[in-house]
Amino acid sequence: MTARDTNEPHRTATPLELFFDLCFVVAVAQIAGELHEYLAQGRPATAVGSFLTVFFAIWWGWMGFTWFSSAFDPNDVPFRLVTLVIVTGALVLAAGVRPAFEEHDFALVVVGYTVMRLALISLWLRAACAGAAGRRTGRTFAAGLAVVQGLWCAWLLLPEEWQRPVFVLLALLDLAVPVLGERVRPTSWHAHHIAERYGLFTMIVLGESVMSATSAVRRAVDADYAGGDLYLLAGGGLLTVFAMWWMYFASSAGEFLDSTREGFLWGYGHYLIFGAAAAVGAGLALNIDALTDEAALTDAGAAATVTVPVAVYLMAVWALHVRPHHRGGWGPFLFPAGATLVLAATVTAMPVVATGLVTAGLVAVGVLRERAAERRAERARAERARAERSGGAAA
């Protein structure tokens, strides 16, 4: 196993990484489904708390392998087998989602998480022994992961009222392991490869949201509910998800991921993007259920299940993608303003449609600004060319 070149050209996701992402989205779909069900029952505290807890496990399991495979990817048989073990751990975790929501029983979630962690520890030890990551770096990662995972197993023994506050502490310790490891010696992760990997996972999670909403529309139609408000809601939901996709991929993150610090902030911030994208699908399905009186929520409560995650998504995309590209002018303030309007749509008569119109408006303004910038650049090039021709003629 050797370190990859940070400037390697045409560094793209491998078929193994694509398969890895698709399997992890199975767990995301399970979590989103339980979020939808518990919100429909009028139990938002249990729904949101369990969602954030379990989603952290699947997100962090995905993160650990993604950054490792960006820096070291021999693509040999042992590496492929260990990757499939991590996938198995994710599927075990997915099987434990329902007990975690229903009975606050996180045993199977922790078992799946432990399988993923042990497999990743073996990869870091292999990298350390091969000298790919440096012995101290590889050992620091392996030791940190092992210690924190031991604490997660002990966490299961705590009383339920202690688990939530201790969870926050253990999550912070988990997040600190890469920070400590990279301080010993930065790994050779590839900026454009990382940006592509995150983009692909965002795309898949958004696709899962579309599937969730589509299933809810089908259930409503099967129940002989075919009112115009159903189709308006479905159209508003599609418009929202399409706009979310457009905004995320409007700019390339690989251009500004030029330091470990930027990589940490950008990578960790995607917890909000991934989580919000998954929650939007549950919210859209819940609003469709509310039309057929299958959800025990007020109109404003049902609306908030869409508007709140969309607003979170907008702010996260603004912080991670928009601000690094636009340092000045009024353009960067469009996203905070859009998030505010989306939250205000919670109390409107058709909140999902209003959300779709606001997000589509943000996309339209962004496209117009980009076209205007291209025209200014073309005029500047033409003026420089004329100046060079005039200078040559004078000479």
Side-chain angles (χ1 to χ4, degrees), residues 13 27 104 174 188 212 255 291 296 328 340 343 352 358 367-368 383:
H104 200 77
D174 232 343
S188 56
S212 177
E255 298 175 8
L291 288 178
T340 302
L343 290 176
V352 176
V358 170
V367 171
L368 292 175
E383 289 174 2

Side-chain angles (χ1 to χ4, degrees), residues 228-305:
D229 47 357
L230 172 64
Y231 301 114
L232 282 173
L233 196 157
L238 282 177
L239 195 60
T240 300
V241 176
F242 293 164
M244 291 168 68
W245 171 85
W246 195 301
M247 287 182 282
Y248 185 92
F249 291 99
S251 55
S252 173
E255 298 175 8
F256 58 81
L257 294 179
D258 54 2
S259 69
T260 300
R261 179 178 179 276
E262 289 289 345
F264 276 129
L265 293 174
W266 189 83
Y268 286 9
H270 269 73
Y271 174 75
L272 298 175
I273 289 180
F274 293 159
V280 165
L284 291 174
L286 186 63
N287 276 266
I288 293 170
D289 289 345
L291 288 178
T292 57
D293 297 324
E294 295 182 7
L297 283 176
T298 63
D299 291 342
T305 63

Side-chain angles (χ1 to χ4, degrees), residues 31-66:
I31 299 169
E34 292 300 317
L35 176 66
H36 166 217
E37 182 174 332
Y38 273 74
L39 287 173
Q41 295 172 10
R43 301 166 63 184
T46 299
V48 175
S50 297
F51 174 81
L52 294 176
T53 301
V54 180
F55 192 83
F56 174 85
I58 196 65
W59 165 74
W60 195 238
W62 180 88
M63 283 266 293
F65 172 80
T66 296

Side-chain angles (χ1 to χ4, degrees), residues 189-259:
W189 53 273
H190 193 286
H192 290 279
H193 175 251
I194 282 290
E196 182 191 24
R197 296 284 284 112
Y198 274 75
L200 289 170
F201 199 71
T202 300
M203 193 186 315
I204 295 172
V205 174
L206 287 173
E208 189 278 325
S209 292
V210 172
M211 182 181 68
S212 177
T214 302
S215 297
V217 171
R218 186 198 63 207
R219 290 196 302 270
V221 172
D222 289 345
D224 295 327
Y225 187 95
D229 47 357
L230 172 64
Y231 301 114
L232 282 173
L233 196 157
L238 282 177
L239 195 60
T240 300
V241 176
F242 293 164
M244 291 168 68
W245 171 85
W246 195 301
M247 287 182 282
Y248 185 92
F249 291 99
S251 55
S252 173
E255 298 175 8
F256 58 81
L257 294 179
D258 54 2
S259 69

Side-chain angles (χ1 to χ4, degrees), residues 1 63-74 79 120 123-124 127:
M1 180 181 288
M63 283 266 293
F65 172 80
T66 296
W67 285 81
F68 181 93
S69 64
S70 185
F72 322 100
D73 184 4
F79 182 80
L120 186 60
L123 289 176
W124 278 111

Side-chain angles (χ1 to χ4, degrees), residues 59-126:
W59 165 74
W60 195 238
W62 180 88
M63 283 266 293
F65 172 80
T66 296
W67 285 81
F68 181 93
S69 64
S70 185
F72 322 100
D73 184 4
N75 201 28
D76 56 12
V77 172
F79 182 80
R80 291 184 176 189
L81 291 176
V82 173
T83 302
L84 295 179
V85 170
I86 297 176
V87 168
T88 302
L91 298 179
V92 172
L93 191 156
V97 169
R98 185 172 290 274
F101 274 76
E102 287 184 352
E103 306 164 14
H104 200 77
D105 180 4
F106 291 91
L108 204 53
V109 170
V110 172
V111 169
Y113 192 59
T114 302
V115 171
M116 291 191 288
R117 296 285 90 180
L118 291 176
L120 186 60
I121 289 170
S122 73
L123 289 176
W124 278 111
L125 290 175
R126 181 185 175 190

